[in-house]
Amino acid sequence: MKKKVSRTELRTEVNNETGEIGREVKTDTFLIDREPEFVKLYIQDIARLNDVTGKQNQVLLAFVRHMGYNNIIPTYKPIKKMIARKLNISLHTVDSAVKTFKKKGLFISVDRGIYMADPELFGRGKWSDIQNLRLVIDYNQNGTKKLSSNLPEQLQLKLGL
């Protein structure tokens, strides 16, 4: 699933002795990974498929709206307080929702107070970065599967750990 991309650059040079203007066209062609086909899925649908309740759905939406690139979601106390205040709910409700998101696999724990939104469900940033976060499932001929991901390495690179 590669896509051919070309970049053309026009250079203009002036010969200082003759005043002659010379032009050079340089074209580079390379292959990049193509973004896979996708279906747009709304947060409410993701919540419904994962049995996330009404208030938790609002909390999920608030966190995902403020998700950073590479799907990083900080859940520090001041951020949770802002969300609680904005949604007119208790801090306990926000804390409970975060625990539910982790338990259901919507959030993946990175470090204390830092999560990554599951890159199979959410994505923000360049496709090449999101692609590197995704889980790879290889199916063997005997029906078994092998799960692999470079998520730990990617998190260390992205967070500078």
Side-chain angles (χ1 to χ4, degrees):
M1 290 183 37
K2 300 276 185 182
K3 177 169 76 169
K4 190 176 188 178
V5 176
S6 296
R7 180 180 60 140
T8 302
E9 182 180 332
L10 174 65
R11 291 185 182 172
T12 303
E13 295 180 3
V14 177
N15 184 322
N16 291 332
E17 292 178 18
T18 64
E20 186 178 339
I21 298 174
R23 290 195 170 111
E24 177 184 338
V25 177
K26 181 181 176 188
T27 302
D28 293 322
T29 302
F30 47 95
L31 297 174
I32 62 170
D33 287 330
R34 186 182 302 258
E35 184 175 352
E37 292 184 28
F38 65 93
V39 173
K40 188 174 184 177
L41 189 64
Y42 294 95
I43 299 293
Q44 293 89 331
D45 297 328
I46 292 171
R48 189 177 324 129
L49 292 170
N50 287 281
D51 295 323
V52 173
T53 65
K55 289 290 182 189
Q56 290 175 340
N57 187 15
Q58 292 175 350
V59 174
L60 178 61
L61 182 57
F63 275 118
V64 172
R65 276 189 180 138
H66 296 96
M67 173 174 71
Y69 288 97
N70 300 311
N71 291 23
I72 299 301
I73 298 176
T75 61
Y76 305 122
K77 193 168 186 174
I79 294 170
K80 291 188 287 188
K81 281 183 175 180
M82 276 189 327
I83 290 173
R85 209 172 18 255
K86 182 177 180 179
L87 298 176
N88 199 25
I89 58 177
S90 71
L91 182 59
H92 175 74
T93 301
V94 176
D95 283 332
S96 176
V98 170
K99 288 176 188 172
T100 298
F101 304 153
K102 181 181 176 187
K103 181 179 173 185
K104 294 188 179 278
L106 298 172
F107 287 3
I108 300 163
S109 184
V110 174
D111 205 342
R112 185 179 174 150
I114 300 175
Y115 292 90
M116 172 182 282
D118 180 351
E120 294 295 326
L121 299 173
F122 308 96
R124 181 171 192 172
K126 294 180 183 175
W127 168 244
S128 58
D129 294 337
I130 295 166
Q131 183 181 24
N132 287 333
L133 297 175
R134 297 183 79 154
L135 179 67
V136 175
I137 304 173
D138 292 317
Y139 292 94
N140 299 319
Q141 288 182 346
N142 64 3
T144 61
K145 61 185 173 182
K146 178 184 172 192
L147 304 176
S148 62
S149 173
N150 63 350
L151 181 62
E153 295 86 5
Q154 287 297 317
L155 288 174
Q156 288 178 352
L157 290 174
K158 302 301 180 195
L159 297 175
L161 299 175

